[in-house]
Amino acid sequence: MLIYLFHFSNPLFFFKRCPSYIEPQNLTSVSEFFLMGLSDDPELQPLLFGLFLSMYLVTVLGNLLIILAVSSDSHLHIPMYFLLSNLSLADIGFTSTTVPKMIMDIQTQSRVISYVGCLTQMSFFMLFGCLDSLLLAVMAYDRFVAICHPLHYLIIMNPRLCGLLVLASFLISLLVSQMHNSIVLQLTYFKDVEISHFFCDPSQLLNLACSDTFINNIVMYFVGAISGFLPISGIFFSYYKIVSSILRVPSTGGRYKAFSTCGSHLSVVCLFYGTGLGVYLSSAVSLSPRKDAVASVVYTVVTPMLNPFIYSLRNRDIKRAMWRLFSKTI
């Protein structure tokens, strides 16, 4: 979501008027778009198919293992792992929004997506992307309570509050997604039907629009603030308090033990927002939309795939739960 916050912050990005030499296509006559994909080289298609199919399977299986491990082990029925299982579920949804369609397009050699299908894909992409961002902010708050108020942790982060935080994150994400869709549905003209991406990228689709509406711009700034700025601010504030609290611990061992509980979450946050920022910077210096699409693979596919590895490799409780889960199935 961070990359869309950066895109939306550019006042030249929104809804440009079509140049006089382009004949805009009325929305009523546009029934489908064409996804340009990652490459036109026929020899690369089998490689791309195998690569993304394997990455998708690893992502889904890895995140499912996290969910099963947390749900099957009573020792992990605490707020931290409840939020982690919801993050894994959101990661599955985030990846499943784009990758299966791309795999199918490579296999069938068809890059057509209907107008309704494009809006649906974009809606779910925004939903799960925003949900990822908000859940990371909620998890940062969970770590803040655990370190700064350890004696009251289970009282503050009670099951009711955890459920409400997850529900609120979902409802806010749904609101953001529908607000985004309502803006796109108001577009009347497109200057092209070719999307230079492997999915209906919101920034690419809006860049094809030929309208100029001030109110739409304001709404999109609001959407960008909710989905990007507020979660980032919450994460920074939580870690500011965490670091301040850890620095007051007298022993070095105590500081390390306190901060180690945040290691996995901090790694995921850096990966999620770092890749988004990297894609934005690469798109800013690159004039090729195809290269932007290749760069966006990092945060749409690679990041959700790596999250289970980060939590399983850096967390002894998750590793123990997975071993117990495997021993039950064997």
Side-chain angles (χ1 to χ4, degrees):
M1 294 304 299
L2 183 64
I3 185 174
Y4 297 106
L5 176 62
F6 285 130
H7 276 303
F8 297 154
S9 64
N10 183 357
L12 298 178
F13 171 77
F14 291 104
F15 312 136
K16 307 174 183 67
R17 294 187 180 278
C18 284
S20 58
Y21 59 84
I22 294 180
E23 181 180 352
Q25 303 183 45
N26 196 310
L27 184 60
T28 56
S29 65
V30 176
S31 59
E32 58 189 24
F33 291 97
F34 295 92
L35 302 174
M36 302 307 292
L38 297 175
S39 175
D40 295 322
D41 189 349
E43 296 181 357
L44 283 179
Q45 302 309 306
L47 176 62
L48 292 174
F49 176 82
L51 177 64
F52 283 97
L53 178 60
S54 60
M55 292 174 71
Y56 178 67
L57 292 176
V58 169
T59 301
V60 173
L61 291 175
N63 283 286
L64 278 178
L65 278 176
I66 294 287
I67 296 171
L68 290 173
V70 171
S71 60
S72 64
D73 195 326
S74 59
H75 297 91
L76 300 183
H77 292 174
I78 59 176
M80 173 183 174
Y81 296 112
F82 170 74
L83 296 173
L84 174 60
S85 60
N86 279 276
L87 179 68
S88 295
L89 190 61
D91 279 338
I92 293 175
F94 188 56
T95 306
S96 299
T97 301
T98 57
V99 179
K101 169 63 178 171
M102 179 178 61
I103 293 173
M104 186 180 69
D105 288 348
I106 295 174
Q107 179 66 18
T108 60
Q109 297 182 349
S110 172
R111 297 180 176 178
V112 177
I113 185 170
S114 66
Y115 174 72
V116 174
C118 186
L119 288 183
T120 302
Q121 185 184 59
M122 184 179 62
S123 177
F124 279 105
F125 179 83
M126 295 294 293
L127 170 65
F128 289 114
C130 184
L131 184 58
D132 255 356
S133 184
L134 291 172
L135 285 176
L136 287 174
V138 172
M139 293 173 75
Y141 174 71
D142 170 75
R143 293 297 83 207
F144 156 71
V145 176
I147 292 175
C148 299
H149 305 282
L151 298 179
H152 301 92
Y153 174 63
L154 292 179
I155 298 175
I156 297 174
M157 297 299 294
N158 58 74
R160 183 172 178 271
L161 178 62
C162 291
L164 286 175
L165 288 173
V166 172
L167 179 61
S169 298
F170 175 77
L171 292 178
I172 293 173
S173 302
L174 184 63
L175 174 64
V176 167
S177 172
Q178 294 310 306
M179 288 177 66
H180 195 281
N181 257 13
S182 67
I183 295 300
V184 175
L185 286 171
Q186 293 180 30
L187 302 179
T188 309
Y189 298 101
F190 291 100
K191 58 187 177 186
D192 202 352
V193 293
E194 292 185 349
I195 300 176
S196 301
H197 223 296
F198 61 89
F199 67 97
C200 279
D201 178 39
S203 61
Q204 291 287 335
L205 188 61
L206 292 174
N207 205 28
L208 296 177
C210 295
S211 304
D212 186 12
T213 308
F214 176 75
I215 296 179
N216 288 352
N217 294 3
I218 298 299
V219 173
M220 293 310 296
Y221 277 115
F222 179 70
V223 169
I226 294 177
S227 58
F229 179 74
L230 290 181
I232 294 173
S233 300
I235 291 171
F236 271 114
F237 178 78
S238 295
Y239 274 100
Y240 166 74
K241 290 293 187 179
I242 288 172
V243 172
S244 300
S245 178
I246 290 176
L247 291 178
R248 290 195 295 267
V249 176
S251 66
T252 305
R255 293 178 185 175
Y256 175 78
K257 184 178 180 181
F259 197 74
S260 64
T261 62
C262 306
S264 297
H265 176 260
L266 195 58
S267 299
V268 171
V269 168
C270 291
L271 184 65
F272 183 76
Y273 289 107
T275 53
L277 178 60
V279 171
Y280 171 75
L281 293 177
S282 66
S283 63
V285 299
S286 173
L287 300 178
S288 172
R290 183 65 60 83
K291 290 182 180 178
D292 296 345
V294 174
S296 66
V297 170
V298 177
Y299 72 92
T300 56
V301 184
V302 176
T303 300
M305 181 184 70
L306 292 181
N307 285 354
F309 292 99
I310 293 173
Y311 273 101
S312 60
L313 293 176
R314 295 181 60 92
N315 192 299
R316 294 178 181 177
D317 293 333
I318 291 291
K319 285 192 282 190
R320 290 196 197 102
M322 284 188 174
W323 279 117
R324 292 192 191 102
L325 184 63
F326 286 137
S327 62
K328 290 179 183 179
T329 56
I330 294 176

